Amino acid sequence: MIIQIMGQAGSGKTTLAVELADRINGIHINADKVRADLNKDLGFSLESRIENARRLGALSRLLDEQGQIVVVDFICPTQETRDAFGKPDYMIWVNRIKEGRFEDTNKMWENPTNADLVILDGITVEQEVDDVIKAFGLHDWRKPTTLMLGRYQPWHEGHHALYAEAGKRTEQVMLGVRDTQGTSEKDPLSFNQVKGYIAQDSVMTNAMVIKVPNITNIVYGRDVGYKVEQVKLGDEIEAISATQKRKEMGI
């Protein structure tokens, strides 16, 4: 997923991007830092700005292809620069100020016409982040969350039922998929394959699915702020066999 945050110099793009990336466990790309290193050969003519946007878009897509959530912020002053960046999943225009501190940027600036969310002046950064998370249905890593830890080889009706029960504990549920591929004959699927099967479940399209190590033990001290709970789902559901499911699915 790529989230592009754009706006005039001094509008608060980077402040929002830093806080948003932290809240959603994303990777933040700041154009000023990229210009100081990878793009130090570029100036601030329109042609250089277009090339800067193209490179930022390419870098963002490379990270997106690796399953990362990318939050990139830069001025991106014209439609040409926005076209060069490419279409993000979500575009945010921070429209707190009408002019920035760079006169050349002010002269070429074109208001975007296709922003998915416009941030106006008058609210705090925390409120802005809340608005972004709500508008785009993102997962908030500071929100109370129930963890479902398992192999899911493959995902089946029993897991679905447990997920529904987990959702009664907290609104947000994380599926922690243990990286067990090849550790036994019962573990033929890679994380991406498991994630793909989960996505085929109609209610799991926006599920919070995270790859975790092959966790075999969990220890905790007293008063740790969370609890470990076994949920009983009934004999019929608990009788579902993942081995039989793999045979039926040919995996």
Side-chain angles (χ1 to χ4, degrees):
M1 177 188 294
I2 300 174
I3 301 173
Q4 180 186 2
I5 301 178
M6 53 166 296
Q8 281 279 14
S11 62
K13 302 179 302 299
T14 301
T15 302
L16 172 58
V18 168
E19 182 65 16
L20 177 62
D22 186 50
R23 286 273 296 275
I24 65 175
N25 197 39
I27 293 177
H28 174 216
I29 299 176
N30 173 258
D32 290 340
K33 293 184 178 180
V34 175
R35 272 187 173 277
D37 192 339
L38 293 176
N39 290 355
K40 63 183 179 181
D41 58 313
L42 299 177
F44 291 92
S45 66
L46 178 58
E47 291 73 20
S48 287
R49 291 172 188 260
I50 290 171
E51 176 61 16
N52 181 57
R54 187 195 67 79
R55 295 182 191 179
L56 286 169
L59 177 59
S60 299
R61 287 186 291 275
L62 286 172
L63 292 170
D64 176 49
E65 289 170 3
Q66 298 300 313
Q68 303 295 333
I69 299 175
V70 184
V71 180
V72 55
D73 78 274
F74 67 119
I75 295 174
C76 207
T78 70
Q79 188 58 48
E80 285 183 280
T81 60
R82 295 159 201 157
D83 291 341
F85 179 83
K87 183 173 176 55
D89 293 283
Y90 301 108
M91 178 192 290
I92 300 169
W93 175 21
V94 181
N95 186 24
R96 289 203 199 93
I97 58 177
K98 299 306 178 185
E99 289 191 343
R101 60 182 180 272
F102 302 123
E103 188 58 33
D104 59 338
T105 303
N106 293 335
K107 289 179 179 179
M108 69 173 65
W109 176 264
E110 299 170 1
N111 288 342
T113 58
N114 58 342
D116 298 294
L117 183 66
V118 179
I119 301 292
L120 300 175
D121 198 16
I123 60 176
T124 67
V125 174
E126 290 75 17
Q127 290 172 323
E128 291 174 0
V129 174
D130 289 340
D131 288 348
V132 172
I133 289 174
K134 182 178 180 181
F136 302 150
L138 305 176
H139 299 118
D140 186 347
W141 281 60
R142 296 183 195 167
K143 189 175 182 179
T145 302
T146 297
L147 170 65
M148 267 181 64
L149 179 66
R151 294 162 41 247
Y152 311 120
Q153 298 267 345
W155 179 263
H156 56 64
E157 298 95 321
H159 301 137
H160 183 122
L162 184 58
Y163 184 85
E165 284 295 320
K168 297 177 182 178
R169 274 67 177 172
T170 57
E171 182 180 351
Q172 184 167 271
V173 178
M174 173 191 285
L175 293 178
V177 180
R178 293 168 56 203
D179 186 10
T180 59
Q181 184 185 24
T183 59
S184 76
E185 63 180 13
K186 296 181 178 181
D187 297 273
L189 302 176
S190 69
F191 167 74
N192 286 332
Q193 288 173 312
V194 171
K195 188 175 182 180
Y197 283 118
I198 293 171
Q200 291 177 21
D201 189 328
S202 60
V203 302
M204 304 297 291
T205 52
N206 192 38
M208 192 178 191
V209 183
I210 306 297
K211 181 180 180 179
V212 299
N214 183 14
I215 294 172
T216 57
N217 297 80
I218 299 175
V219 298
Y220 63 94
R222 63 181 182 180
D223 300 326
V224 291
Y226 60 85
K227 62 182 179 180
V228 178
E229 177 184 5
Q230 183 180 16
V231 177
K232 303 298 290 185
L233 297 172
D235 294 341
E236 183 177 352
I237 291 178
E238 293 185 359
I240 296 173
S241 167
T243 299
Q244 184 60 36
K245 288 290 182 181
R246 288 193 296 273
K247 290 179 180 180
E248 294 171 358
M249 298 168 67
I251 57 177

